[in-house]
């Protein structure tokens, strides 16, 4: 980011850092531009502790969500916390806000009858597959779209 070091009072991210190929790179940039004592809060997509890469059915569901949303790799909640600590943030709080929440699989767009450019059908199919697999991953408890954290850049000593 083209900002001077220690120049922002706070920062936030909403479903954004999931698109970074390496969490420490993006978190490190946020850390660099924050003033000492400033806060960074985010709401992120992560795989949960129930995700088991050895379970090929679950792995495929997660892969289809990644592919349909242009995400290189979902990180786990512990990997996210570790990356935040590695760049120097103090953890204030974190939690999966999706725990114990019902997923409404019937809430999908209806009445999509309109003219569309070439390729729109293929894109629509990919996005619908991603949406279906988001629901499956949520039902299996292996994915959360609601991992929240609040961290602080430590005061300078």
């Amino acid at each position: 980011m083209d900002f001077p070091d220690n120049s922002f009072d706070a920062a936030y991210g909403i479903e954004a850092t999931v698109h970074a190929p390496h969490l420490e790179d993006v978190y490190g940039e946020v850390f660099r531009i924050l003033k000492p004592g400033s806060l960074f809060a985010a709401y992120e997509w992560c795989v949960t502790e129930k995700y088991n890469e050895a379970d090929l059915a679950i792995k495929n569901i997660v892969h289809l969500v990644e592919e349909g949303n242009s995400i290189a790799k979902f990180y786990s909640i512990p990997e996210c916390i570790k990356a935040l600590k590695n760049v120097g943030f103090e953890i204030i709080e974190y939690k999966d806000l999706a725990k114990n929440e019902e997923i409404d699989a019937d809430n999908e767009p209806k009445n999509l009858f309109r003219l569309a450019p070439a390729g729109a059908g293929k894109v629509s199919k990919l996005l619908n597959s991603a949406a279906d697999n988001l629901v499956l991953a949520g039902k299996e408890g292996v994915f959360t779209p609601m991992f929240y954290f609040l961290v602080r850049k430590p005061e300078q000593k």
Side-chain angles (χ1 to χ4, degrees):
M1 292 187 285
D2 194 22
F3 298 108
D5 293 357
N6 305 311
S7 58
F8 284 83
D9 295 319
Y12 69 93
I14 300 172
E15 299 176 357
T17 60
V18 67
H19 294 281
H22 305 285
L23 290 178
E24 288 182 6
D25 292 346
V26 71
Y27 293 162
E29 277 299 287
V30 174
F31 187 88
R32 181 187 66 77
I33 65 167
L34 284 176
K35 294 176 183 174
S38 295
L39 300 175
F40 171 42
Y43 188 82
E44 203 53 85
W45 289 16
C46 294
V47 290
T48 69
E49 68 281 354
K50 290 185 177 183
Y51 177 70
N52 177 358
E53 197 158 305
D55 183 331
L56 296 182
I58 295 297
K59 185 176 180 177
N60 186 55
I61 291 168
V62 170
H63 171 72
L64 291 170
V65 173
E66 291 167 336
E67 181 181 60
N69 289 281
S70 298
I71 296 166
K73 175 195 181 302
F74 278 128
Y75 290 93
S76 68
I77 291 170
E79 288 172 319
C80 182
I81 296 301
K82 181 179 179 189
L84 289 161
K85 288 178 178 179
N86 285 348
V87 301
F89 281 113
E90 298 172 344
I91 307 299
I92 295 173
E93 66 180 353
Y94 65 92
K95 59 185 147 194
D96 179 358
L97 297 174
K99 290 227 179 195
N100 302 320
E101 294 293 328
E102 290 294 318
I103 295 173
D104 183 4
D106 296 322
N107 189 15
E108 58 182 291
K110 305 276 190 230
N111 303 319
L112 298 175
F113 300 103
R114 61 188 150 163
L115 296 176
K122 187 175 180 181
V123 170
S124 176
K125 212 172 176 183
L126 177 67
L127 293 174
N128 284 328
S129 172
D132 292 343
N133 285 287
L134 276 168
V135 171
L136 286 173
K139 284 182 177 179
E140 293 291 333
V142 298
F143 166 78
T144 179
M146 300 173 70
F147 174 63
Y148 158 81
F149 63 81
L150 177 65
V151 295
R152 175 182 294 123
K153 181 175 182 176
E155 296 287 343
Q156 292 177 331
K157 296 180 182 184

